[in-house]
Amino acid sequence: MTASARSVSSVPTVSSNRSTVWTLDALVQVVLIANTLVMLVPIVIMVFSAFKTNVQIFQSPFSIPDFTNLTNLTKIWTQTNFLRYLGNSFFVTGVSMLLILTLGTMAAYAIARYRFTGSGFILMFFVAGLTLPLKLAIIPLFILMRDLGILNSHAALIVVYVATGLPTTVFIMTGFIRTLPSELEDAARMDGASEALIMWKIMLPLVRPAMVIAGIQNVVPIWNDFFFPLVFIQSDGLKTLPQGLASFMGEYNTDWGVLFSGLTLSVLPIIIIYILLSKQFINGMTSGAVK
Amino acid sequence: MVDLSLRGIKKRFRTVDVLHGIDLEIKDKELVVFVGPSGCGKSTLLRLVAGLDPITDGEFWMAGTKMNDVAPSRRGIAMVFQSYALYPHMDVYENMTFGARLMGLDNAEVERRIAEAARMLRLDALLKRRPKELSGGQRQRVAIGRALVRKPELLLLDEPLSNLDAALRSEVRLEIAKLHRDIGGTTIYVTHDQVEAMTLADRIVVMNQGRVEQFGSPRELYETPANTFVATFIGSPQMSLLEMERDGDRIGIAGTGSVVPGRLPAADERQVIVGVRPDAVVITPGEDGEGLSARVVYTEYLGDNAFTYVRLANGQLISVRCTPDTEFAIDAPVRVGLLPNKAHFFSSATKQRLPA
Ligand SMILES: Nc1ncnc2c1ncn2[C@@H]1O[C@H](COP(=O)(O)OP(=O)(O)OP(=O)(O)O)[C@@H](O)[C@H]1O
Ligand SMILES: [Mg+2]
């Protein structure tokens, strides 16, 4: 949204005629509002449907529901494994993100700062990961996981997510760290800080905006991933949210109301994270950390 | 007590040789200035002393201990960086405590040192500010303060004044000179500004292309430059260098005239380079007479002084210091004479000074 707003409004308004400028502005607004609607409608319908019964959903899909009717939510809470799925998703996403950000930042720091032969190659090696169509490798991956004995466990998911998340993270972080003045680290070194302390006390606060970007970049696809759990996870107790919610869709009948309230609940954490981090996120995109 | 000894220090970056064997003996409590044109290796040498980059070859000794492989923080050195390198996410107080705490000092001692540095550098009102909320001069003082709280035995400053405007520059320069006396440690100061070097230094290291051209007191460098590089680098306006020929007690340029310079070098080379500073030259108006024939190019009036630039008949430009009330018409013919015993002589071949 922000990006499109910026690119549209930066169209040069060459005409000195005020009314043309005004019309153009109005046009931009109309486009933006339309865009907002297009994006919000499905979400709103999802939330509405979360409070409706199957019959209501099909009879009047756009009507405003009775928000005090919490039967779908209670059903989710009491009759499904939703909480279990939610916990699994939190665990898998959390551990993956932690590993991606720690390993990614450390790798990026080394590539950006330490002079050693092959540092350029290692960066290219990481970035090459971006070009791999991972899903094509699903059969070898499956065999690999089986041989490692981690099929049907969260480890299988975490390993894959970390591997897919590292390229972007290393790429973003390396670029960002290179823009930071290396004299800061030299100053800390003179002050007697160890490399670990420099990383922790000097670099980490400075690279936080870039970490937020890398984090958001990765957290959404990992949280929403359906494919890898479908392939690697069989036990119901280990399923993540998208996979678990899919099992709400029965072969013959589906309780759409329950499914939609599950979906609503599952996007909530991401939206909250987005809102909490959006300030940092925008800061990080628009300005460097120093000066 | 820290005296430094640099013995044949070399530095190579991959395939580029940046320092070609630096030998220096720096005494305790000295303020030594490294000066030289941009890219000559001053910062590189300073970083080697600090321990931030490894020494390719040679030895570095401090107070009788070989320091080549000692970590920067264990050398008892503090450094003020050209860009200040203040930690942007910490306020002034935190910037200064960071290093002090890492030294393992107790809280009371840290507080005491910060109070002292803040008073000395007039930072008291700024302690809670972030670097980006400070002016250039204030950042400068914080950077120095951060170095001082560590009570270094050796203080390194890399072009600390280059980001300041002219007025602030001379003010901070005085402050640094005073600080050096107050702390009583050894200080190395890097600059490419020869005025800064002359005014601050006990001794100056003139560097050029990775070599030390001369190491001596400001007076030595000015009065007895070791070679033509030092001769032209120190002093403003520059010393003029003239290719001249000796003939008995006279030196001259074919087609331009000749002068009697007074004391001549002992060596009996005929072809010499004669260096004359603006204050070693006198000009008298007129077409004929004693001296070298020249024409006035222009006069720079500076209030207490004036510099007249004249072009010799062979095309060379010389600057001459005059009294401010002298006025020459442009292109007026003049004769250039030398004050006795003021000329410097250098070998044409080696560009080294020829002793008298
Ligand atoms: N990391 C490096 N890798 C390769 N060459 C380098 C490196 N650092 C410096 N140099 C080269 O070493 C030479 C000396 O650099 P240095 O920074 O010491 O110059 P300086 O005397 O401090 O100049 P200035 O007055 O501009 O700061 C330069 O030619 C520079 O290109
Ligand atoms: Mg430098």
Side-chain angles (χ1 to χ4, degrees):
Chain A
M1 290 292 289
T2 12
S4 68
R6 201 172 300 130
S7 64
V8 174
S9 62
S10 69
V11 168
T13 49
V14 185
S15 167
S16 58
N17 188 328
R18 284 195 86 125
S19 71
T20 344
V21 173
W22 190 87
T23 337
L24 202 75
D25 265 0
L27 210 71
V28 167
Q29 294 299 324
V30 169
V31 170
L32 287 178
I33 290 169
N35 188 26
T36 315
L37 284 180
V38 168
M39 292 177 113
L40 280 182
V41 164
I43 297 174
V44 170
I45 290 182
M46 175 183 78
V47 176
F48 282 4
S49 305
F51 295 92
K52 294 177 182 173
T53 64
N54 253 1
V55 178
Q56 284 172 317
I57 290 175
F58 287 109
Q59 276 180 347
S60 51
F62 301 111
S63 66
I64 297 174
D66 170 14
F67 284 109
T68 55
N69 175 9
L70 298 178
T71 37
N72 285 337
L73 282 176
T74 28
K75 245 190 203 168
I76 280 225
W77 229 252
T78 52
Q79 292 174 23
T80 70
N81 240 344
F82 181 84
L83 276 185
R84 186 68 206 242
Y85 303 150
L86 186 72
N88 288 341
S89 267
F90 264 119
F91 177 76
V92 170
T93 312
V95 174
S96 303
M97 290 313 296
L98 193 75
L99 286 173
I100 288 175
L101 290 180
T102 338
L103 296 177
T105 307
M106 281 173 14
Y109 184 64
I111 292 171
R113 279 297 194 255
Y114 299 133
R115 295 176 168 276
F116 57 94
T117 35
S119 68
F121 173 77
I122 291 179
L123 179 61
M124 288 323 293
F125 184 74
F126 271 116
V127 174
L130 285 172
T131 64
L132 284 183
L134 191 66
K135 284 176 185 151
L136 285 186
I138 190 67
I139 292 170
L141 268 178
F142 185 87
I143 296 170
L144 181 68
M145 297 300 171
R146 187 194 62 199
D147 292 352
L148 287 173
I150 54 173
L151 263 189
N152 197 24
S153 79
H154 287 158
L157 295 179
I158 292 172
V159 167
V160 172
Y161 292 152
V162 171
T164 49
L166 278 178
T168 42
T169 310
V170 170
F171 185 66
I172 293 174
M173 300 299 287
T174 308
F176 188 80
I177 291 174
R178 281 197 177 139
T179 66
L180 296 176
S182 64
E183 286 193 340
L184 284 179
E185 293 139 77
D186 287 337
R189 233 160 255 151
M190 299 293 305
D191 272 346
S194 63
E195 295 298 306
L197 195 70
I198 293 175
M199 179 86 205
W200 186 249
K201 277 281 187 62
I202 307 293
M203 293 316 282
L204 216 52
L206 296 179
V207 301
R208 216 168 42 205
M211 285 179 89
V212 169
I213 291 178
I216 287 197
Q217 172 96 2
N218 285 304
V219 78
V220 178
I222 292 180
W223 179 264
N224 288 335
D225 186 49
F226 178 65
F227 183 71
F228 288 108
L230 189 69
V231 176
F232 292 147
I233 306 289
Q234 275 94 45
S235 323
D236 190 55
L238 291 175
K239 286 181 176 172
T240 60
L241 262 182
Q243 190 188 8
L245 289 178
S247 67
F248 289 8
M249 279 194 266
E251 200 171 338
Y252 303 108
N253 61 348
T254 300
D255 191 340
W256 292 100
V258 172
L259 181 56
F260 277 121
S261 56
L263 282 174
T264 307
L265 288 178
S266 83
V267 298
L268 221 75
I270 294 292
I271 291 178
I272 292 174
I273 290 180
Y274 234 98
I275 292 171
L276 286 183
L277 293 182
S278 64
K279 198 170 150 243
Q280 292 243 17
F281 182 60
I282 291 163
N283 273 350
M285 291 205 300
T286 52
S287 74
V290 285
K291 286 174 188 169
Chain B
M1 171 74 199
V2 274
D3 47 327
L4 312 183
S5 168
L6 284 70
R7 302 175 190 165
I9 299 278
K10 292 187 180 158
K11 179 66 188 173
R12 183 180 306 125
F13 289 110
R14 290 171 199 268
T15 52
V16 200
D17 282 305
V18 174
L19 299 175
H20 313 268
I22 304 277
D23 296 288
L24 290 174
E25 298 290 330
I26 295 173
K27 294 188 223 119
D28 188 32
K29 299 201 196 322
E30 240 184 340
L31 199 167
V32 172
V33 174
F34 293 174
V35 68
S38 190
C40 69
K42 307 178 296 283
S43 300
T44 306
L45 183 55
L46 206 65
R47 289 175 61 85
L48 295 187
V49 169
L52 291 171
D53 287 327
I55 296 171
T56 307
D57 197 15
E59 293 183 358
F60 170 47
W61 292 70
M62 257 179 97
T65 321
K66 190 175 162 192
M67 286 291 180
N68 284 46
D69 302 316
V70 178
S73 58
R74 295 180 189 278
R75 297 187 180 196
I77 298 178
M79 181 158 172
V80 176
F81 292 84
Q82 184 163 354
S83 64
Y84 311 146
L86 299 176
Y87 310 127
H89 56 294
M90 301 183 188
D91 64 24
V92 170
Y93 177 83
E94 289 162 341
N95 260 286
M96 296 206 292
T97 45
F98 185 74
R101 288 209 201 287
L102 286 175
M103 292 174 75
L105 302 174
D106 61 54
N107 275 342
E109 175 67 11
V110 173
E111 293 297 330
R112 212 182 51 68
R113 288 189 182 190
I114 289 191
E116 190 184 331
R119 184 182 47 72
M120 218 189 304
L121 295 162
R122 304 191 309 269
L123 292 172
D124 308 82
L126 308 176
L127 287 178
K128 283 284 154 255
R129 296 218 204 148
R130 292 278 177 91
K132 67 162 175 275
E133 299 158 350
L134 300 175
S135 74
Q138 290 166 335
R139 283 180 206 171
Q140 171 64 53
R141 299 210 301 268
V142 175
I144 295 177
R146 181 173 69 178
L148 290 189
V149 289
R150 301 190 55 221
K151 292 230 161 97
E153 292 177 298
L154 174 61
L155 179 62
L156 308 178
L157 302 129
D158 192 357
E159 308 211 16
L161 308 186
S162 56
N163 294 346
L164 305 184
D165 65 42
L168 204 52
R169 208 176 266 217
S170 56
E171 185 186 323
V172 180
R173 196 169 68 204
L174 287 177
E175 256 169 42
I176 289 177
K178 183 168 164 297
L179 275 175
H180 168 74
R181 267 180 276 118
D182 292 351
I183 317 164
T186 310
T187 303
I188 299 180
Y189 183 105
V190 167
T191 176
H192 57 249
D193 177 12
Q194 52 107 1
V195 178
E196 238 167 83
M198 294 294 274
T199 49
L200 272 175
D202 293 322
R203 288 199 292 167
I204 298 177
V205 179
V206 182
M207 291 179 63
N208 184 31
Q209 299 189 344
R211 294 196 170 76
V212 173
E213 297 283 354
Q214 191 171 4
F215 182 26
S217 68
R219 181 178 291 273
E220 276 165 15
L221 297 195
Y222 190 82
E223 292 180 354
T224 53
N227 50 46
T228 53
F229 178 83
V230 178
T232 49
F233 194 82
I234 303 286
S236 168
Q238 277 194 357
M239 177 190 282
S240 317
L241 296 177
L242 311 172
E243 289 274 358
M244 295 180 102
E245 203 165 321
R246 260 172 88 164
D247 182 14
D249 62 349
R250 301 185 74 85
I251 49 173
I253 302 173
T256 306
S258 65
V259 286
V260 181
R263 207 168 44 232
L264 280 165
D268 54 356
E269 292 174 54
R270 272 186 69 78
Q271 216 44 58
V272 288
I273 297 175
V274 180
V276 285
R277 294 199 190 277
D279 58 354
V281 186
V282 281
I283 45 177
T284 44
E287 195 83 57
D288 314 295
E290 177 69 359
L292 309 170
S293 85
R295 285 179 181 276
V296 173
V297 180
Y298 68 100
T299 302
E300 237 174 39
Y301 174 75
L302 297 175
D304 55 345
N305 247 328
F307 289 98
T308 303
Y309 294 83
V310 301
R311 193 178 294 284
L312 294 180
N314 72 347
Q316 233 182 334
L317 206 62
I318 299 186
S319 50
V320 187
R321 193 172 77 190
C322 313
T323 52
D325 49 357
T326 42
E327 271 181 47
F328 287 103
I330 288 190
D331 226 23
V334 289
R335 304 303 292 189
V336 177
L338 291 187
L339 292 176
N341 302 333
K342 286 276 220 172
H344 303 262
F345 295 92
F346 304 96
S347 154
S348 267
T350 64
K351 314 286 187 225
Q352 296 300 306
R353 181 181 194 80
L354 295 172

